[in-house]
Amino acid sequence: MRNEKLKIGVFDSGLGGLTVVKALSQVIKGADIFYVADTKNAPYGEKTPEQILQYALTITQHLIETHDIDALILACNTATSFAIEKLRELYPELIIIGTEPGVKPALEKSKTGKIGVLATPATLQGEKYQALVKQLSTGKDVVLYEQACPGLVEQIERGAIACDTTKTLLNTWLSPMKENSVDTIVLGCTHYPLVGDVIKNIMDYEITLIETGSAIANRLLILSQNIGHQNDGNLNIFIHYTDTINKESIDSIISDYTFI
């Protein structure tokens, strides 16, 4: 490992990736986490593949040049879909971990095979997601209720978690899942765990929500130890944002951080 202390770069289009940072903070020690909230270009899920790739390349180069990172976490399903292969090609020396909808754990946890997937339009349309679903569901008795959620990321970024508009949007999207007794819902965007309680209230029966932050954290722990990380000592979290950000929402996710 090049650095005495593990240096981790994490990025997303806004607040959502902080759910991944929170999961990392519960597993990783002796590290500095540098989080870039690209609020200027949020939401990624409604941008073109070319735009998303360019954002990812620019942020990664910044993290390397400014912070000399050892690992990069794409805390965004959409960015993973359109940028991770190119980033791995350009930066083979980095540990690079992406985010993808938790279809596999949903299949393992669902008792009925009726699974809902909430995601951005770009994620649902992306080849990576389509290939994942085809691979995992072939030969299984599974029904997926897929729902794009345009506008939800913007509501979350504004801190409008439990407002009437957000509840109305979620009610509309979740109604088919509720009518069909879906028992597991994949939160296919790192922002969506922040409205998890609202989703549970709307469904109004016991439902399993699948998010991927813990899986990412555990994967990083294994890969970082493979390059000599001892996972001992203090963890520091630094946040950089490219435009305005809702600081109260940050405080509701993580409490100990520094703006840079």
Side-chain angles (χ1 to χ4, degrees):
M1 195 170 70
R2 296 166 306 170
N3 304 303
E4 288 186 10
K5 201 172 191 181
L6 183 68
K7 295 187 177 183
I8 308 161
V10 186
F11 75 89
D12 188 17
S13 60
L15 293 167
L18 288 172
T19 61
V20 175
V21 172
K22 181 179 179 180
L24 290 171
S25 71
Q26 295 167 347
V27 174
I28 302 295
K29 299 176 183 178
D32 290 334
I33 297 177
F34 302 95
Y35 181 74
V36 176
D38 189 14
T39 47
K40 179 180 179 181
N41 297 306
Y44 284 179
E46 296 169 36
K47 298 294 195 296
T48 67
E50 293 78 17
Q51 288 174 310
I52 295 163
L53 175 59
Q54 189 55 57
Y55 302 151
L57 292 172
T58 300
I59 291 170
T60 300
Q61 193 59 37
H62 164 78
L63 288 166
I64 291 171
E65 292 178 356
T66 308
H67 303 298
D68 192 25
I69 59 171
D70 304 293
L72 176 70
I73 308 296
L74 283 69
C76 173
N77 294 270
T78 304
T80 300
S81 295
F82 298 116
I84 195 166
E85 290 182 9
K86 186 65 176 178
L87 290 171
R88 283 174 171 159
E89 175 188 326
L90 291 173
Y91 305 107
E93 73 282 4
L94 287 182
I95 294 171
I96 299 181
I97 301 173
T99 307
E100 59 184 23
V103 178
K104 184 176 181 180
L107 289 170
E108 293 169 351
K109 290 184 177 295
S110 175
K111 297 176 182 177
T112 65
K114 295 180 178 181
I115 297 170
V117 181
L118 300 176
T120 65
T123 294
L124 290 177
Q125 295 163 11
E127 291 181 9
K128 194 174 182 64
Y129 170 76
Q130 295 292 336
L132 177 69
V133 168
K134 184 177 180 180
Q135 174 194 346
L136 293 176
S137 61
T138 298
K140 294 186 175 70
D141 187 15
V142 175
V143 181
L144 292 181
Y145 297 86
E146 298 170 332
Q147 177 61 59
C149 303
L152 184 55
V153 167
E154 291 93 326
Q155 288 294 104
I156 294 169
E157 286 291 319
R158 286 192 286 268
I161 302 296
C163 75
D164 289 343
T165 301
T166 301
K167 289 179 180 177
T168 298
L169 288 170
L170 285 168
N171 257 309
T172 301
W173 294 328
L174 293 169
S175 287
M177 300 183 193
K178 190 173 180 179
E179 290 168 5
N180 287 280
S181 301
V182 161
D183 72 345
T184 306
I185 296 179
V186 176
L187 303 179
C189 170
T190 54
H191 282 76
Y192 296 174
L194 299 175
V195 291
D197 288 341
V198 181
I199 292 170
K200 288 179 179 179
N201 288 337
I202 291 171
M203 294 302 287
D204 198 30
Y205 60 81
E206 188 172 346
I207 188 85
T208 299
L209 301 182
I210 303 294
E211 52 185 286
T212 54
S214 295
I216 291 170
N218 290 326
R219 179 67 175 156
L220 176 60
L221 178 61
I222 292 169
L223 294 178
S224 64
Q225 288 176 331
N226 288 344
I227 62 169
H229 176 54
Q230 299 300 312
N231 207 51
D232 185 49
N234 295 328
L235 177 77
N236 300 306
I237 299 171
F238 303 93
I239 297 176
H240 170 75
Y241 52 96
T242 58
D243 203 342
T244 57
I245 197 167
N246 188 314
K247 295 181 182 179
E248 289 182 3
S249 294
I250 295 175
D251 292 335
S252 71
I253 306 168
I254 57 173
S255 57
D256 191 8
Y257 61 88
T258 302
F259 283 120
I260 56 173

